[in-house]
Amino acid sequence: MQARTFTESGRRAQIVTAAIEVISEVGFAKASFSRIAKHAGLSSTGMISYHFAGKDDLLAACVAEIEEVTGGFMGPRIDAAEGHVAQLRAYVESNVALVGEHPAAVRALIDIVKNGAAQSAAVNGRLALFEEHFRTGQAAGVFRPFDTRTVAIAFTTGLDAVVATAAAAVPEPTELARLGRELADLYVRATAPDPEGDSA
């Protein structure tokens, strides 16, 4: 029983990985079960139907896997940063760096979310997360006064644009690192307190 469970779990993971790679290559709309089965080395689509109730179920599993990969990559880098400003920088730089480490996962998630094929709790929860981060940073005096909702929207929109552009044609590692630093610098400067004595 344990061996069978392990085999079925491994097969399910194999299908999810294949689905993510197919979506990243041809897009959600063209990611048919037959394409996924062929990519996974399966003899038929029946094995996919055995493990997943339908395409929505498979897509939900893909999103869950991508969120786990994303969290595993970005989480330690953000947690290691001390203070609001350092964490803001770590979030931006690690999100851009994620493109180089897991390009297929990033492209697949972008396409899935863009087409409304499945929901991502991590993506949907970012605005509230950033608003709270900016509010507590303002209370600590490390961010200047601004409307946290507006800045959170601008932050996510700009970051998403850079990530999507990089994912479409992944730059060399040094260039990708430069993009992350440049964008992080921009956000840090934009949210920094005004120097004493400056007038609005």
Side-chain angles (χ1 to χ4, degrees), residues 102-170:
H102 302 284
V106 173
R107 284 194 295 266
L109 184 62
I110 290 171
D111 197 65
I112 290 170
V113 172
K114 180 180 68 176
N115 286 285
Q119 296 295 312
S120 168
V123 171
N124 294 341
R126 291 180 306 166
L127 278 182
L129 176 70
F130 297 146
E131 280 189 81
E132 178 63 17
H133 186 75
F134 289 137
R135 272 196 298 269
T136 56
Q138 287 174 333
V142 297
F143 294 139
R144 68 177 180 80
F146 51 74
D147 182 79
T148 57
R149 179 72 174 179
T150 301
V151 173
I153 292 171
F155 177 81
T156 54
T157 302
L159 180 56
D160 286 351
V162 171
V163 168
T165 301
V170 181

Side-chain angles (χ1 to χ4, degrees), residues 52-64:
F52 300 94
K55 195 168 186 179
D56 289 347
D57 189 27
L58 176 55
L59 289 175
C62 289
V63 170

Side-chain angles (χ1 to χ4, degrees), residues 10-196:
R11 181 70 73 185
R12 181 182 173 90
Q14 177 188 6
I15 294 169
V16 169
T17 298
I20 291 171
E21 292 174 352
V22 169
I23 293 169
S24 78
E25 292 171 5
V26 302
F28 156 75
K30 295 181 179 179
S32 63
F33 272 16
S34 59
R35 281 182 184 268
I36 295 169
K38 182 178 180 180
H39 193 80
L42 304 177
S43 58
S44 73
T45 60
M47 189 61 71
I48 300 177
S49 299
Y50 173 78
H51 287 283
F52 300 94
K55 195 168 186 179
D56 289 347
D57 189 27
L58 176 55
L59 289 175
C62 289
V63 170
E65 172 63 19
I66 294 169
E67 288 181 344
E68 185 174 343
V69 168
T70 300
F73 181 83
M74 294 178 59
R77 291 162 174 78
I78 297 169
D79 292 342
E82 296 185 6
H84 290 79
V85 176
Q87 289 174 349
L88 177 65
R89 177 178 291 282
Y91 189 99
V92 173
E93 292 185 352
S94 64
N95 200 170
V96 175
L98 179 70
V99 176
E101 293 294 325
H102 302 284
V106 173
R107 284 194 295 266
L109 184 62
I110 290 171
D111 197 65
I112 290 170
V113 172
K114 180 180 68 176
N115 286 285
Q119 296 295 312
S120 168
V123 171
N124 294 341
R126 291 180 306 166
L127 278 182
L129 176 70
F130 297 146
E131 280 189 81
E132 178 63 17
H133 186 75
F134 289 137
R135 272 196 298 269
T136 56
Q138 287 174 333
V142 297
F143 294 139
R144 68 177 180 80
F146 51 74
D147 182 79
T148 57
R149 179 72 174 179
T150 301
V151 173
I153 292 171
F155 177 81
T156 54
T157 302
L159 180 56
D160 286 351
V162 171
V163 168
T165 301
V170 181
E172 292 296 321
T174 54
E175 175 61 11
L176 197 59
R178 186 193 67 79
L179 288 174
R181 286 194 304 271
E182 288 278 349
L183 189 60
D185 286 345
L186 175 65
Y187 288 136
V188 168
R189 288 196 300 268
T191 55
D194 292 327
E196 290 187 19

